[in-house]
Amino acid sequence: MKRVGIVSFHVAINYGVYLQAYALQRKIEELGYEPEILDYRKRTDETDGRIKRAFRRIVKEHMSVKEIVKDVRAVLRGRKTAKLQEISHRKKAFLDFADKHFKLSRFYENYQSICQDHAEYDACVCGSDQIWNPLYTKCNPVYFLEFVPPGRRIAYAPSIAVQKIPDEYTKALESKIGQFAAVSLRERSASELWAGKLKRSVYNVVDPTLLYSGREWKEMAVMPKEEHYVLCYFLGHDEAYWKLIRRIEEKYHLKAVILPFAYEAIMKYPGIKAYASIEEFLGYICNADFVLTDSFHGTAFSVNFNRNFYVMKRADKGGQMHSRIHDFLSNIGLESRELQVEDAGSIALETIDYGPVNVKLDKWIQDSVNYLDNSLKKVVKA
């Protein structure tokens, strides 16, 4: 059986990260290949992330020296609050999911060590998620499969994620993407842009999580004990989010269940919090009366499970991170489900007619499977 290496984000404690990596691995296996996710991680990534988050909190909350020292001492002494214990439990659940479902290579810490093993793969696929976002990965050669010859490189749904690419990365991206045997991107706007730049076909394909139906994901889901709730899954933080949650609880008499990731949501908001495993995350979306989110994968799974939802435009520089959600929703005719933070006060929990949506999505999914199948056949045969 031909071996296919996969390069993706697969270890960040984020539901979408794990589920997209798993879905791509599973689909490649179903197409008749032996997939393996390259276990590439820089050891400093997690530590650097913690330092940055801590610094942002200090600046944002104007913490005093006394408060900073108190927090540091609490961590050093290993004193965890019940909330932090829940977060730790969730992290363990993520790692358990990886142990159970991921087919991983040996651990790689740098590009040079991967180059020594490139001959093991008949083809390599990079994707999905924001592996081509230059603000995140700085054009890292690993995420452009530069450890294998160009004829073995396939891109499946990587996300560039930003509307405007910084000038210092434009030429590098053109050179790197242009060398692929087959190229697809997750955002339609990016596909059209790079097809024009490179004078070649650049396909717009669905996120790997959409290669499987809601019915198939439901088989993995663990259903929650809660009933009749609005699920709130936010990666960002804005006070308007919490005002909106309170309004929905009061107006529609639905309790809010929060899947918290932002520090502020974890520590400040008094609602029901669910520190869900990946399987429980699927169950919470599948069983929700309504979903509020600012997450791409929160949106994608809401659509896949045919849930009613609104997606909040997350606050960032120029709204660039939201462009990937907008592209997805515009492809299936659901732009009306995008909500500006300032418009949150006028929200009405309107239902979605999923008939025409599913027709568009089913065709897009089939085209995406065909692209992946044909690209693998072409590369492996060559």
Side-chain angles (χ1 to χ4, degrees):
M1 187 178 290
K2 300 295 185 180
R3 301 189 68 221
V4 176
I6 300 171
V7 172
S8 184
F9 292 155
H10 66 284
V11 293
I13 303 302
N14 177 291
Y15 298 112
V17 164
Y18 274 70
L19 288 166
Q20 62 83 23
Y22 165 72
L24 183 57
Q25 172 193 276
R26 177 176 164 183
K27 181 55 66 175
I28 290 173
E29 186 172 33
E30 287 181 2
L31 291 173
Y33 302 91
E34 183 182 346
E36 183 175 76
I37 298 173
L38 273 75
D39 193 12
Y40 168 64
R41 290 170 284 160
K42 292 187 291 183
R43 293 186 189 276
T44 57
D45 284 351
E46 188 172 352
T47 301
D48 289 348
R50 287 174 179 167
I51 293 171
K52 289 176 183 176
R53 287 192 294 272
F55 181 75
R56 283 198 298 267
R57 183 186 165 216
I58 291 168
V59 172
K60 186 171 184 177
E61 299 189 10
H62 307 290
M63 293 176 68
S64 67
V65 173
K66 183 178 179 180
E67 289 173 319
I68 295 169
V69 171
K70 182 180 177 181
D71 272 19
V72 170
R73 283 177 175 172
V75 172
L76 292 176
R77 292 173 184 171
R79 286 172 24 213
K80 294 184 177 179
T81 65
K83 291 172 184 176
L84 293 177
Q85 288 175 345
E86 291 282 3
I87 296 168
S88 178
H89 173 75
R90 178 175 62 189
K91 183 174 182 179
K92 181 181 182 302
F94 274 67
L95 299 177
D96 288 344
F97 181 92
D99 288 342
K100 181 178 180 181
H101 295 289
F102 286 173
K103 298 179 179 180
L104 296 175
S105 71
R106 71 178 181 87
F107 171 73
Y108 296 104
E109 188 178 1
N110 54 55
Y111 171 64
Q112 290 73 21
S113 61
I114 297 176
C115 288
Q116 297 172 4
D117 291 344
H118 74 270
E120 293 184 4
Y121 301 112
D122 299 286
C124 279
V125 179
C126 64
S128 169
D129 222 343
Q130 298 181 61
I131 60 170
W132 284 4
N133 182 340
L135 303 181
Y136 282 5
T137 61
K138 315 295 184 186
C139 292
N140 184 326
V142 174
Y143 295 117
F144 291 88
L145 308 179
E146 293 180 29
F147 52 88
V148 294
R152 296 190 210 171
R153 301 175 194 171
I154 298 170
Y156 184 86
S159 173
I160 294 176
V162 294
Q163 291 175 310
K164 179 170 173 39
I165 296 166
D167 293 340
E168 63 265 32
Y169 295 115
T170 301
K171 288 185 178 179
L173 283 172
E174 287 185 16
S175 174
K176 291 171 183 288
I177 297 172
Q179 296 180 54
F180 274 70
V183 182
S184 67
L185 294 169
R186 197 173 67 181
E187 286 79 44
R188 182 178 62 189
S189 57
S191 301
E192 293 170 351
L193 172 66
W194 286 97
K197 283 181 176 290
L198 300 173
K199 309 300 182 189
R200 59 175 292 181
S201 295
V202 177
Y203 296 88
N204 176 216
V205 295
V206 298
D207 183 82
T209 61
L210 291 162
L211 296 174
Y212 294 96
S213 66
R215 175 182 52 80
E216 290 170 305
W217 283 118
K218 191 174 181 179
E219 294 174 1
M220 177 182 282
V222 173
M223 294 300 166
K225 62 181 184 298
E226 291 88 356
E227 295 180 348
H228 304 300
Y229 58 87
V230 176
L231 180 69
C232 305
Y233 175 50
F234 298 126
L235 298 181
H237 172 66
D238 193 298
E239 287 298 327
Y241 291 3
W242 317 120
K243 292 177 182 178
L244 175 60
I245 292 170
R246 286 191 288 270
R247 180 176 177 273
I248 288 173
E249 287 178 319
E250 293 169 1
K251 182 174 181 178
Y252 295 97
H253 306 291
L254 289 170
K255 59 188 173 186
V257 174
I258 304 167
L259 296 181
F261 264 82
Y263 174 84
E264 293 85 351
I266 294 171
M267 302 305 292
K268 291 184 177 180
Y269 188 73
I272 301 170
K273 299 182 181 70
Y275 299 90
S277 68
I278 291 173
E279 295 85 352
E280 290 166 341
F281 167 79
L282 295 171
Y284 271 111
I285 295 182
C286 181
N287 200 46
D289 290 336
F290 214 93
V291 178
L292 295 174
T293 188
D294 62 359
S295 153
F296 176 87
H297 285 105
T299 304
F301 276 104
S302 296
V303 171
N304 213 345
F305 284 123
N306 283 192
R307 297 293 87 191
N308 293 309
F309 72 94
Y310 277 107
V311 57
M312 309 289 286
K313 186 173 181 179
R314 201 188 319 171
D316 60 60
K317 294 181 180 179
Q320 294 198 81
M321 292 292 287
H322 186 77
S323 63
R324 56 207 177 104
I325 298 176
H326 174 76
D327 274 16
F328 169 58
L329 293 178
S330 65
N331 271 7
I332 54 177
L334 285 178
E335 305 98 311
S336 63
R337 311 311 288 193
E338 298 175 70
L339 192 68
Q340 298 282 353
V341 171
E342 56 267 27
D343 298 329
S346 60
I347 189 175
L349 300 191
E350 298 173 346
T351 59
I352 297 171
D353 177 6
Y354 270 102
V357 172
N358 290 334
V359 170
K360 293 177 182 178
L361 185 57
D362 288 346
K363 182 182 184 304
W364 190 14
I365 291 169
Q366 189 56 57
D367 290 344
S368 300
V369 173
N370 290 342
Y371 162 80
L372 181 59
D373 187 22
N374 292 335
S375 297
L376 284 167
K377 287 176 178 175
K378 173 184 173 183
V379 167
V380 170
K381 184 178 179 180

